[in-house]
Amino acid sequence: MKRVDDFRLKLGKDELVPIMIGGMGVDISTAELALVAARLGGIGHISDAMVHDVTDRRFDTSYIKEKTKYYKYNINNSDKTDIKFNLEHLADATRMHVSKTMEAKQGTGMIFVNCMEKLTMNGPRETLKVRLEAALDGGIDGITLSAGLHLSSFSLMADHPRFREAKLGIIVSSLRALQLFLRKNAKLNRFPDYVIVEGPLAGGHLGFGDDWAVYDLQTIITEIAAYLKAENLDIPLIAAGGIFTGSDAVSFLENGASGVQVATRFTVTNECGLPTDVKQEYFKASEADIEVNHISPTGYPMRMLKNTPAIGDGIRPGCESYGYLLDGNGNCAYITSYNREVAAHPDAKKVVVMDKTCLCTHMRNFNCWTCGQTTYRLKDTTRKLADGSYQLLTAEHVFRDYQFSTDNRITLPE
Ligand SMILES: Cc1cc2nc3c(=O)[nH]c(=O)nc-3n(C[C@H](O)[C@H](O)[C@H](O)COP(=O)(O)O)c2cc1C
């Protein structure tokens, strides 16, 4: 009977344990979590989502405070088009987040950064270019392009000296998305080093519509693998979404995938950035407590716990401090919804906004409890303590459980 450890993920000349811990913004997949994966010979992700806030918390910078002060005059204005990102600050914060993580890296594994295109930051092209190039400057081993088609991302960093050396990959949920990406980048003569195929059971934003349940990860992988073979392209595929045990992983490794990307099981580890009480909510969840909804202003469906505090919360848009989801014209779907409710209830102290959420503020405060579909099984991965709470796990324990377990077994902690 095979174990994940019987396989290796080959990225160029490098051979890795074929386990990636997926990027989880905002600072849910912390540097500490990513560092464990690298130490154990796999791949960990940090995320560059809301990077100024991450460096403020971790390294005592004051980017958010300064930005809030700068745009204070606009706080009561429903028009947010004025709010722009200082590109120098963005580059500095990204370089700091990346380089400090890389300095701490030990072991033979790698650390990648998850870079979401949907963080359009009221200047999609220029901010994305800065984020990508600053991550390469900071010495990141690789960049995973996510939450978008990323048709221009390779060309945005093509002049960087590390463009052909760093590992570059993309997350897709369909063959069509991958074909678009490959076609668009054909002239650069630079293929992705890996492709993460994310199925409908993943956490965070989904690359599917409301009919997500009719899709199946293995079917999509088989289709993409056949296409790559027909095109004579040797690009490793990484399966993601709903892989809960080592045996689940082995099944994908035997059927077209060269690695797996996993996240949900690491949300209840000590190293995960979620607050301890939120980790307990993840443990407690039953299947009926999980939903896919449309409150994310990105336009993508998002999976989360139904008792997520962000749902219905009519907080004032926090763009003067954050503004990461402002599109190229300074709009965000939450602002439209919020303004509509304020106009409908002019005397209300606080409005209720059901259809969208202020994702920046709520992700920043860990009040948007996005999760994978298998979250309801987390309680089976640990022990219940005398006080009724669940024992948190170490990331090393979960990583090794994926790496060595057989027969769909899950090793409980000591
Ligand atoms: C709490 C949470 C937050 C996530 N945030 C992101 C994110 O910011 N960007 C991204 O590309 N994927 C995100 N994901 C998706 C994961 O990186 C990963 O691909 C997926 O969840 C793997 O499936 P699993 O959770 O069933 O193991 C997130 C997943 C979770 C559980």
Side-chain angles (χ1 to χ4, degrees):
M1 185 157 304
K2 294 230 169 183
R3 312 174 298 177
V4 168
D5 197 49
D6 295 324
F7 299 82
R8 284 294 176 268
L9 167 63
K10 292 195 188 78
L11 292 181
K13 289 193 197 90
D14 298 291
E15 291 207 2
L16 299 125
V17 176
I19 301 170
M20 280 189 183
I21 303 180
M24 296 180 271
V26 171
D27 214 21
I28 297 177
S29 58
T30 57
E32 290 72 25
L33 183 57
L35 286 164
V36 172
R39 176 168 57 78
L40 299 176
I43 298 171
H45 277 90
I46 53 173
S47 160
D48 79 345
M50 300 184 73
V51 68
H52 308 83
D53 186 61
V54 176
T55 62
D56 284 358
R57 281 195 257 196
R58 298 178 83 89
F59 309 119
D60 231 13
T61 52
S62 51
Y63 292 116
I64 300 290
K65 204 166 141 195
E66 279 174 37
K67 187 173 183 211
T68 313
K69 208 164 130 194
Y70 190 78
Y71 286 113
K72 200 167 165 214
Y73 70 89
N74 200 62
I75 281 180
N76 292 317
N77 189 353
S78 60
D79 181 343
K80 306 295 182 191
T81 47
D82 260 14
I83 293 161
K84 291 280 178 187
F85 279 84
N86 176 321
L87 297 181
E88 222 170 283
H89 289 184
L90 178 60
D92 289 345
T94 307
R95 269 195 300 264
M96 188 182 308
H97 182 35
V98 169
S99 60
K100 298 264 189 205
T101 307
M102 297 311 290
E103 279 161 25
K105 194 182 100 166
Q106 294 175 346
T108 54
M110 295 188 179
I111 296 192
F112 293 175
V113 63
N114 180 281
C115 187
M116 293 186 276
E117 189 176 33
K118 268 292 174 185
L119 300 187
T120 37
M121 300 169 72
N122 202 6
R125 277 182 72 83
E126 58 267 35
T127 54
L128 188 56
K129 183 175 171 64
V130 168
R131 291 162 63 197
L132 295 167
E133 294 194 330
L136 293 172
D137 288 344
I140 199 75
D141 289 320
I143 303 180
T144 296
L145 305 171
S146 71
L149 291 170
H150 284 278
L151 299 183
S152 306
S153 298
F154 268 21
S155 61
L156 287 176
M157 56 180 152
D159 293 333
H160 195 282
R162 297 194 59 225
F163 176 61
R164 287 174 201 277
E165 170 245 316
K167 310 292 181 206
L168 302 179
I170 182 161
I171 301 185
V172 300
S173 293
S174 68
L175 172 59
R176 202 180 122 66
L178 179 61
Q179 286 171 326
L180 284 172
F181 181 82
L182 293 176
R183 258 179 232 144
K184 185 76 192 192
N185 289 300
K187 62 178 182 305
L188 286 173
N189 196 22
R190 184 0 169 160
F191 288 100
D193 299 294
Y194 59 98
V195 171
I196 298 174
V197 184
E198 197 178 70
L201 304 182
H205 291 103
L206 299 184
F208 300 87
D210 285 336
D211 59 348
W212 58 268
V214 306
Y215 292 91
D216 164 61
L217 175 59
Q218 183 59 62
T219 308
I220 306 168
I221 289 180
T222 305
E223 195 186 4
I224 292 182
Y227 170 78
L228 292 177
K229 193 164 176 220
E231 296 288 312
N232 265 325
L233 290 174
D234 185 16
I235 305 174
L237 298 182
I238 314 293
I243 298 168
F244 201 74
T245 66
S247 306
D248 293 342
V250 166
S251 161
F252 285 104
L253 294 170
E254 288 180 330
N255 290 289
S258 302
V260 295
Q261 172 163 285
V262 285
T264 292
R265 282 197 57 194
F266 289 92
T267 57
V268 288
T269 60
N270 296 316
E271 291 84 351
C272 164
L274 291 171
T276 307
D277 55 337
V278 179
K279 291 174 187 166
Q280 293 297 326
E281 296 293 333
Y282 280 52
F283 270 132
K284 279 191 267 174
S286 68
E287 196 167 9
D289 296 330
I290 300 166
E291 68 177 16
V292 175
N293 62 37
H294 291 274
I295 69 164
S296 168
T298 61
Y300 287 113
M302 196 174 186
R303 178 171 280 116
M304 63 188 73
L305 297 184
K306 284 182 185 167
N307 59 343
T308 288
I311 299 176
D313 186 76
I315 194 171
R316 186 163 44 72
C319 311
E320 284 70 24
S321 306
Y322 310 129
Y324 292 83
L325 292 180
L326 291 170
D327 65 17
N329 302 312
N331 298 322
C332 166
Y334 179 68
I335 301 174
T336 310
S337 296
Y338 174 81
N339 290 343
R340 181 198 64 220
E341 292 305 322
V342 169
H345 305 95
D347 299 326
K349 253 197 176 148
K350 195 171 176 195
V351 290
V352 172
V353 182
M354 290 309 296
D355 56 328
K356 294 291 168 205
T357 192
C358 187
L359 199 63
C360 292
T361 305
H362 287 305
M363 287 304 298
R364 189 265 170 211
N365 293 333
F366 301 108
N367 277 333
C368 184
W369 298 340
T370 181
C371 66
Q373 183 62 27
T374 58
T375 297
Y376 70 94
R377 294 174 63 189
L378 287 173
K379 57 177 82 57
D380 303 331
T381 68
T382 193
R383 298 174 192 281
K384 212 166 182 184
L385 301 172
D387 67 357
S389 69
Y390 292 92
Q391 182 181 339
L392 294 183
L393 305 164
T394 66
E396 177 161 350
H397 169 85
V398 177
F399 190 97
R400 291 199 185 282
D401 190 46
Y402 270 117
Q403 190 177 357
F404 297 112
S405 92
T406 53
D407 279 331
N408 271 307
R409 270 197 298 264
I410 288 172
T411 310
L412 298 184
E414 291 294 314

